């Protein structure tokens, strides 16, 4: 457990946050120079998009890391600040710093586009890159085929950018005006409308493969039509909100996002790896996913280095919405939204487990983060209390007692057997019910390990266990 002096040294200090140490300056400079060198070499080699994306991701890490340090005091002066309630001596920290990560990410995506399409630009022009002499696709007098620029691929990046920029604005509004949950819940679906429109025009597939046991009754495919678009809109709503719900301890929002991003990259690698039969029909879709996820990993690592216990900044709702929408974008436009859901198993469980409070069956306090015990320095399950003025319905109380018996909840009763309080319905509090009091960083680490194991299980189910229900894995 950190002593009070140790905790205080991590409090927000303007001079310390603004000034990078000499070691940090040296390290970030070396990384930036190396990334620029890779980009120059990639540009001379017809773009080399994968290497360019890696280099841009490294540069995005350096830039995000430095800007977070430089702008912390600006956020505090503008009122974007909050107290870390899970410390013995709560101090004010800059809030909404995920905005920096989101803006640097959007900048990184824009700067990546010339590398992604350099080969197409050169092939689509007659003068070795002279954009003033573009020719239409077709056959010239000598029978040589003239290349046409792939606008449909560029559209995917453009609509993805627009969706993510709109979602970032939503996050800024939430951090600025503290919007109510019921008001902001469905807004990501409106942000995703251009992306869904592109899916309709560019891809338009709305049928799903029927599992083998049901094919004698339903056939091989079922066309869901408009319901498939409702499903994708639900994915766009769920992903940002589920990251925002599983929050409350240092590093958990960024940590879970990084785990999901790395698992998605692992899934992408299964399709683009050299030992796979190439060209695979899904290669372009998974390369698109890789190119969007690598910069996200870069900016998120920089943010995590400041948000991990003991945190020096808070990420804010902006990062939660932005991160969730990145996953929704790559899942929908990469055409693997169902695989994406297998990596959200803990988030799906947390949403379902939280439903009684989210839908007011059980009172929901303003904050449901675990309670900090100042005497022990450990986190314990936070509780919601039932007053005599607003007693709980008897049937709800009996259900809570059953959940208590199953160790899915912790309740306290009075001498009449009436439930007077119960632990809040979040996976963080449930984990503390199971494990007992934990230090904040230990709780975050265990949750992220669980997230990793569940994600690996989901990928195994997708590529191995699924063969019991479907005739083949689309990797082959």
């Amino acid at each position: 457990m950190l002593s009070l002096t140790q905790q205080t040294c991590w409090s927000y200090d303007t001079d310390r946050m603004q000034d990078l140490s000499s070691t940090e300056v040296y390290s970030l400079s070396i990384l930036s120079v190396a990334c620029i060198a890779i980009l120059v070499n990639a540009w001379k080699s017809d773009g080399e998009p994968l290497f360019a994306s890696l280099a841009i991701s490294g540069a995005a890490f350096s830039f995000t890391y430095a800007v977070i340090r430089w702008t912390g005091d600006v956020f505090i002066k503008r009122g974007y600040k909050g107290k870390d309630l899970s410390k013995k001596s709560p101090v004010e920290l800059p809030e909404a710093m995920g905005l920096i990560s989101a803006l640097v990410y959007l900048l990184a995506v824009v700067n990546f586009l010339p590398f992604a399409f350099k080969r197409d630009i050169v092939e689509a022009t007659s003068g070795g890159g002279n954009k003033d002499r573009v020719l239409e696709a077709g056959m010239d007098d000598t029978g040589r085929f003239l290349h046409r620029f792939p606008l449909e691929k560029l559209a995917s990046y453009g609509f993805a950018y627009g969706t993510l920029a709109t979602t970032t604005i939503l996050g800024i509004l939430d951090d600025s005006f503290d919007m109510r949950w019921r008001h902001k819940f469905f807004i990501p679906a409106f942000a995703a409308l251009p992306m869904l429109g592109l899916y309709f025009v560019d891809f338009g597939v709305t049928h799903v493969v029927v599992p083998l046991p049901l094919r004698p009754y339903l056939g091989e495919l079922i066309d869901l039509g408009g319901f498939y678009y409702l499903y994708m809109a639900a994915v766009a709503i769920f992903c940002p909100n589920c990251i925002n719900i599983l929050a409350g301890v240092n590093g958990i929002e960024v940590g879970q996002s990084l785990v999901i991003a790395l698992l998605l990259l692992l899934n992408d690698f299964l399709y683009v790896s050299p030992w796979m039969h190439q060209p695979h029909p899904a290669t372009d879709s998974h390369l698109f996913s890789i190119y969007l996820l690598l910069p996200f990993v870069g900016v998120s690592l920089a943010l995590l280095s400041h948000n991990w216990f003991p945190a020096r900044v808070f990420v804010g709702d902006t990062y939660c919405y932005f991160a969730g929408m990145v996953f929704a974008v790559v899942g929908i436009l990469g055409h693997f939204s169902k695989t994406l859901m297998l990596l959200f198993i803990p988030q799906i469980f947390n949403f379902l487990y939280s439903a009684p409070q989210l839908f007011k069956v059980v009172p929901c306090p303003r904050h449901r983060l675990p309670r900090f015990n100042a005497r022990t320095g450990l986190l314990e399950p936070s509780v919601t209390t039932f007053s005599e003025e607003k007693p709980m319905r008897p049937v709800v109380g009996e259900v809570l007692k059953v959940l208590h018996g199953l160790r899915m909840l912790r309740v306290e009763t009075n001498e009449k057997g009436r439930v007077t309080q119960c632990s809040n319905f979040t996976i963080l509090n449930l984990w503390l019910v199971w494990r007992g009091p934990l230090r904040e960083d230990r709780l975050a680490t265990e949750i992220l390990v669980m997230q990793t194991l569940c994600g690996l299980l989901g990928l195994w189910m997708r590529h191995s266990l699924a063969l019991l229900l479907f005739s083949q894995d689309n990797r082959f």
Side-chain angles (χ1 to χ4, degrees):
M1 181 179 66
L2 289 178
S3 68
L4 182 59
T5 303
Q6 288 173 310
Q7 288 188 7
T8 303
C9 76
W10 281 97
S11 64
Y12 179 80
D13 181 90
T14 300
D15 293 334
R16 176 172 179 170
M17 286 294 290
Q18 282 186 331
D19 296 331
L20 296 168
S21 68
S22 57
T23 301
E24 289 172 327
V25 171
Y26 180 78
S27 301
L28 295 177
S29 299
I30 292 295
L31 177 60
S32 300
V33 170
C35 291
I36 292 173
I38 294 173
L39 288 174
V40 171
N41 184 68
W43 185 255
K44 294 178 179 179
S45 305
D46 289 335
E48 297 294 344
L50 184 56
F51 292 106
S53 182
L54 284 168
I56 289 175
S57 303
F61 169 86
S62 298
F63 191 49
T64 303
Y65 188 98
V67 172
I68 287 175
R69 295 285 290 273
W70 293 333
T71 59
D73 64 317
V74 177
F75 278 71
I76 283 189
K77 290 177 181 177
R78 295 295 183 271
Y80 293 95
K81 57 186 177 180
K83 288 188 176 181
D84 194 342
L85 301 178
S86 297
K87 303 294 183 295
K88 280 189 175 181
S89 180
V91 295
E92 288 187 340
L93 301 176
E95 179 75 77
M97 297 303 288
L99 174 61
I100 302 297
S101 296
L103 294 179
V104 173
Y105 174 85
L106 293 173
L107 182 64
V109 171
V110 170
N111 282 276
F112 169 72
L113 292 180
F115 295 91
F117 294 98
K118 184 190 177 185
R119 188 173 303 172
D120 296 297
I121 293 172
V122 171
E123 291 180 355
T125 59
S126 60
N130 183 1
K131 295 278 300 171
D132 296 330
R133 298 177 59 191
V134 177
L135 300 177
E136 296 294 330
M139 306 296 290
D140 65 4
D141 294 338
T142 63
R144 179 171 59 92
F145 181 76
L146 300 178
H147 183 80
R148 186 181 65 176
F149 189 85
L151 292 176
E152 65 282 357
K153 290 184 179 180
L154 180 61
S156 295
Y157 289 95
F159 280 83
Y161 184 95
T163 297
L164 293 172
T166 305
T167 306
T168 300
I169 295 173
L170 164 64
I172 297 172
L173 292 175
D174 192 12
D175 283 324
S176 300
F177 301 106
D178 197 18
M179 299 168 61
R180 291 184 177 274
W181 178 75
R182 62 177 178 270
H183 295 156
K184 63 188 179 183
F185 183 78
F186 295 100
I187 295 181
F190 294 97
L193 285 177
M195 177 177 62
L196 297 181
L198 176 66
Y199 183 92
F200 174 78
V201 173
D202 185 49
F203 196 63
V205 174
T206 57
H207 60 257
V208 295
V209 180
V210 177
L212 291 173
L214 299 179
R215 288 185 183 180
Y217 312 101
L218 301 176
E220 185 175 352
L221 299 173
I222 292 182
D223 190 358
L224 299 180
F227 290 104
Y228 195 81
Y229 290 92
L230 291 178
Y231 156 74
M232 290 189 290
V235 170
I237 293 173
F238 174 76
C239 289
N241 282 287
C242 74
I243 301 294
N244 199 26
I245 293 174
L246 209 173
V249 299
N250 293 169
I252 197 65
E253 299 97 327
V254 189
Q256 63 179 305
S257 300
L258 271 172
V259 169
I260 294 171
L262 293 174
L263 289 169
L264 284 172
L265 287 170
L266 174 60
N267 181 66
D268 293 329
F269 183 73
L270 295 177
Y271 289 87
V272 303
S273 58
W275 56 80
M276 288 297 299
H277 177 70
Q278 298 295 344
H280 190 282
T283 295
D284 286 343
S285 296
H286 286 278
L287 284 174
F288 171 78
S289 172
I290 290 173
Y291 298 151
L292 290 186
L293 288 173
L294 286 177
F296 175 78
V297 170
V299 299
S300 296
L301 282 173
L303 183 60
L304 182 63
S305 65
H306 291 88
N307 182 241
W308 188 254
F309 177 89
R312 288 172 285 172
V313 302
F314 291 137
V315 301
D317 291 334
T318 301
Y319 179 83
C320 297
Y321 290 120
F322 153 71
M325 191 57 78
V326 168
F327 301 139
V329 165
V330 299
I332 293 173
L333 295 184
H335 313 306
F336 55 87
S337 58
K338 296 177 285 296
T339 301
L340 174 68
M341 289 296 99
L342 292 175
L343 304 183
F344 277 79
I345 293 174
Q347 284 72 23
I348 293 172
F349 173 84
N350 186 56
F351 175 78
L352 296 175
Y353 184 69
S354 299
Q357 287 189 311
L358 295 178
F359 296 102
K360 305 300 182 180
V361 177
V362 176
C364 183
R366 181 71 177 90
H367 297 290
R368 300 185 297 163
L369 67 159
R371 183 178 69 88
F372 177 70
N373 187 325
R375 183 178 60 84
T376 63
L378 303 177
L379 295 182
E380 300 173 352
S382 61
V383 298
T384 184
T385 304
F386 311 101
S387 63
E388 293 291 338
E389 292 76 17
K390 295 182 179 180
M392 181 188 303
R393 287 178 292 177
V395 63
V396 175
E398 294 304 315
V399 172
L400 296 184
K401 292 178 184 179
V402 172
L403 292 175
H404 174 76
L406 298 173
R407 296 201 65 199
M408 294 297 292
L409 200 65
R410 180 178 294 172
V411 303
E412 291 187 10
T413 58
N414 59 18
E415 63 278 359
K416 298 180 181 180
R418 177 178 296 176
V419 176
T420 57
Q421 67 178 28
C422 70
S423 55
N424 283 309
F425 291 71
T426 71
I427 196 172
L428 296 177
N429 288 303
L430 178 60
W431 197 267
L432 292 170
V433 169
W434 289 342
R435 294 278 289 111
L438 294 172
R439 204 174 80 158
E440 188 172 4
D441 56 337
R442 179 63 182 269
L443 173 61
T445 300
E446 292 187 5
I447 292 295
L448 296 182
V449 170
M450 179 268 294
Q451 174 87 54
T452 303
L453 294 177
C454 288
L456 292 174
L457 174 64
L459 290 181
W460 176 77
M461 292 170 57
R462 170 63 184 84
H463 296 294
S464 296
L465 190 61
L467 294 176
L468 299 177
L469 299 176
F470 301 97
S471 57
Q472 63 181 13
D473 181 1
N474 66 359
R475 286 187 302 132
F476 305 104

